[in-house]
Structure formats: C-alpha cells, structure tokens
Amino acid sequence: MVLTGDLSTHVRGPRRKNLVIAAVVAAVVLGTAAGLVIAKFNDKPVWPMNVAYGAGYYDGSQLRKTDRDGSVVAAAVAGGCERAARTAGKKADDSPAAWVRGCLDAVQGKPSTPNAT
C-alpha cells in the first residue's frame, strides 16, 4: 500500500509575524480609545457629592435664568435651596449639603466648583 499526499490533521495557521503585528495594532487601538475616554471624562469624577453638587448647580442656574426681578434668587439664598434639596430626588439624597452648595453657587452666579469644601 502506497500513501500519497499529506495525511496529517495539522492545519497551518497564520505566521507568527502576522500575529505579532495584529496584537500590536490591537494594543495601539485599545490604548488610543482608552486615552480618549480618560481625556473626555477625567475632570468629571462620579462621586455622590459631585453628582449632587452638579444637580444642585443645574437647578440653581435654572432658577437664576428665570428670575426677572431678583426675588427668586433672594428666596433661594434665604433658605429656598435647603427646602428644595429635600424634594430634589435621588441625586440629592446621598449628599444634600453638596446639592445645597451647588444650588447656592449657581443662584449667586459663582463658577461651578464641585470639589471645593
């Protein structure tokens, strides 16, 4: 009996050089994507007090925009932000003090400083 041809079950795969090139390209693409995500969201840490401050700042800025004669801002500074924090929802529940600070900063026209103490 004479055997002709290759009867082995081994299937040749890609060359090592091609695998290395593909791995390097994948690493570069993933590294670039990670760098872009970090660059976009690095200044916005998602801590409960930062989220609460941001929500309070947003609500306070909306109050300031709608105030025509200064009475809404005066009411907010005189305790309106503290009262509003009780009904502000989930974002204010974890850190009501940060929510109030954000609201007060916004109605008084101060810049947003969520990490200030």
Side-chain angles (χ1 to χ4, degrees):
M1 174 170 177
V2 178
L3 296 175
T4 59
D6 187 13
L7 297 178
S8 115
T9 57
H10 183 281
V11 178
R12 291 180 55 109
R15 296 174 63 192
R16 284 190 180 141
K17 176 182 169 186
N18 292 344
L19 289 175
V20 169
I21 291 172
V24 168
V25 169
V28 168
V29 168
L30 289 175
T32 302
L36 291 174
V37 169
I38 289 170
K40 181 171 176 89
F41 297 106
N42 192 35
D43 62 335
K44 299 175 186 172
V46 185
W47 299 103
M49 68 178 215
N50 293 66
V51 172
Y53 179 90
Y57 194 87
Y58 176 79
D59 288 351
S61 65
Q62 295 304 311
L63 285 175
R64 186 172 173 81
K65 286 178 186 177
T66 60
D67 190 15
R68 300 274 184 221
D69 59 358
S71 62
V72 175
V73 169
V77 171
C81 284
E82 289 86 358
R83 286 188 298 277
R86 294 184 204 121
T87 60
K90 291 182 181 181
K91 291 184 178 179
D93 289 344
D94 289 336
S95 185
W99 194 96
V100 170
R101 190 168 49 84
C103 177
L104 290 173
D105 283 354
V107 296
Q108 294 172 357
K110 295 179 182 176
S112 175
T113 55
N115 294 322
T117 55

